[in-house]
Amino acid sequence: MSQGWRISADACLRSRNTFGVAAVAPWLIEVGDPQQLAEVLALPQVQAHAPLLLGGGSNLLFAGNPPGAVIALDMHRIEIIQDSPEAATLRADSGVQWHALVMWTLQQGLAGLENLALIPGTTGAAPIQNIGAYGTETGEFIQTVIAFDRGTGMLLRLPADACGFAYRDSVFKRNPDQYIVTAVEFRLPRRHALRMDYAGIADELAAMGVSDPAAMDVANAVIRIRRRKLPDPELIGNAGSFFKNPMVSAELAQAIASEYPALPSFRGDTPDARKLSAAWMIEACGWKGFREGDAGVADSHALVLVNHGHASGAQLLGLARRIADSVYARFGVWLEPEPKLVGASW
Ligand code: EPU
């Protein structure tokens, strides 16, 4: 990549999305240096159609072929930029694998990201949907996001409070054509109160025989739980949770709970909102383990759509719509997909 980027035509994206859908991009451009983005965005192949920025491809469904160029950021540095006995600030490039970053920080004795172990995807994608699991969201530990602003052609530094982090949401997700995240800076403490109250973590640590856990132990417990519950995209195509847990008013949550007392619900983004378990509702509608052709729902988790081999994006999307329709008919709650849909709208 001598000039900092490389372009190829008619590129198959099968190995670049964890669903394993065989979509084809008219152009694939791999960029190794954020300073080259202005030049890449000015290419005629990119000007023809809005380009798609691709990270680990773990949170999108190619429901059809992308109409324009696909840009992949191929930058992989991690560096500590400030250190003290209490905490450190580090910068990681967009292309760094998220799980590798989590393990690297824990090995440096830094805490905070342990509950987010084993989430597929890249660091650059993490702030976009503010990835979260087991009671932690990435945004809590992000200090600054470095992004290329396509409006001005400049690299910007956005402090966390300008990023609009919320449940699976951020300013980057709300303005998909404005920013390209090139690096993320995290502020991580060396000691902090470990979060083990989320269902399953404390039990897992007990099963591991750990009584005085360190952050690395919590990460190992999370890894064990995820391996058991969530299908490994290396073995069976999937994009993690396919639906968001729907956020409804506390009043509606109460009404639904009176009819379905077993339906789990969680704290919402605001005091008068509750998040309902989409997995529970989908399972109640009988979809868990369902399969039609190669498109299906995981046996181990009702929120995860799976590609058993050669399902097309359209088949997976068709199944997702049937699931959402049936949940709406029974519970009156409309599910929204969590991954980005390319080539279709919901
Ligand atoms: N449940 C079922 N059936 C299932 C699975 C779960 O009824 O097949 C019920 C159980 O009662 C369980 C509850 O749903 O107690 C919650 O399940 P889980 O702990 O697996 O969490 P989730 O709400 O389904 C969310 C995230 C996951 C994250 C887990 C753990 C979303 C959309 N998903 O799932 O994130 O790993 O919590 O924190 O918020 C992802 O985003 O791709 C993802 C995997």
Side-chain angles (χ1 to χ4, degrees), residues 1-310:
M1 225 183 288
S2 54
Q3 81 274 53
W5 54 271
R6 177 170 54 207
I7 185 163
S8 34
D10 298 325
C12 181
L13 302 172
R14 187 172 190 155
S15 65
R16 286 184 177 265
N17 70 101
T18 58
F19 257 128
V21 166
V24 175
W27 302 102
L28 173 68
I29 307 168
E30 293 156 285
V31 182
D33 174 359
Q35 304 295 341
Q36 304 296 318
L37 274 169
E39 185 179 319
V40 165
L41 292 169
L43 293 170
Q45 295 91 332
V46 177
Q47 291 284 311
H49 270 285
L52 171 73
L53 259 291
L54 192 59
S58 59
N59 202 51
L60 55 76
L61 173 63
F62 285 114
N65 286 334
V70 169
I71 299 176
L73 298 184
D74 205 6
M75 314 164 204
H76 306 280
R77 275 168 318 164
I78 309 178
E79 56 182 327
I80 292 198
I81 51 181
Q82 201 184 40
D83 206 354
S84 78
E86 291 77 40
T89 304
L90 61 101
R91 183 187 305 122
D93 283 344
S94 275
V96 174
Q97 286 299 321
W98 175 258
H99 178 64
L101 175 70
V102 171
M103 298 316 277
W104 187 88
T105 62
L106 293 168
Q107 279 150 11
Q108 309 298 310
L110 298 168
L113 304 183
E114 57 278 357
N115 294 37
L116 303 174
L118 214 64
I119 295 183
T122 56
T123 300
I128 295 175
Q129 66 145 349
N130 186 18
I131 57 172
Y134 303 102
T136 297
E137 288 185 346
T138 323
E140 298 170 56
F141 294 96
I142 289 177
Q143 183 166 281
T144 309
V145 173
I146 300 161
F148 180 85
D149 181 341
R150 291 172 55 190
T152 62
M154 310 275 281
L155 278 172
L156 285 185
R157 294 178 55 82
L158 285 115
D161 58 11
C163 295
F165 292 125
Y167 170 61
R168 297 295 193 273
D169 203 18
S170 71
V171 71
F172 311 107
K173 193 164 173 182
R174 291 190 288 273
N175 303 286
D177 296 330
Q178 186 176 356
Y179 299 111
I180 300 175
V181 175
T182 62
V184 184
E185 290 175 3
F186 298 87
R187 177 90 182 146
L188 298 176
R190 292 195 178 276
R191 303 202 129 267
H192 83 140
L194 298 171
R195 293 182 198 161
M196 293 169 290
D197 47 347
Y198 191 92
I201 294 190
D203 292 347
E204 198 66 34
L205 286 163
M208 288 158 60
V210 177
S211 54
D212 181 18
M216 186 65 97
D217 298 313
V218 173
N220 286 330
V222 166
I223 290 169
R224 285 165 54 120
I225 298 172
R226 289 187 74 98
R227 286 225 164 101
R228 218 163 40 228
K229 279 198 180 181
L230 298 166
D232 179 352
E234 295 283 328
L235 305 176
I236 180 162
N238 75 87
S241 300
F242 192 84
F243 296 101
K244 289 192 266 195
N245 285 325
M247 197 94 71
V248 301
S249 68
E251 198 185 339
L252 178 58
Q254 187 57 47
I256 298 174
S258 61
E259 202 174 337
Y260 300 98
L263 167 59
S265 72
F266 316 95
R267 193 167 39 84
D269 273 350
T270 58
D272 58 349
R274 296 285 295 167
K275 240 186 320 187
L276 305 179
S277 167
W280 193 93
M281 293 189 281
I282 294 168
E283 183 171 349
C285 291
W287 290 105
K288 194 166 174 174
F290 175 88
R291 175 170 180 176
E292 188 173 81
D294 275 348
V297 177
D299 294 323
S300 56
H301 204 299
L303 208 45
V304 182
L305 293 197
V306 290
N307 177 2
H308 288 282
H310 295 93

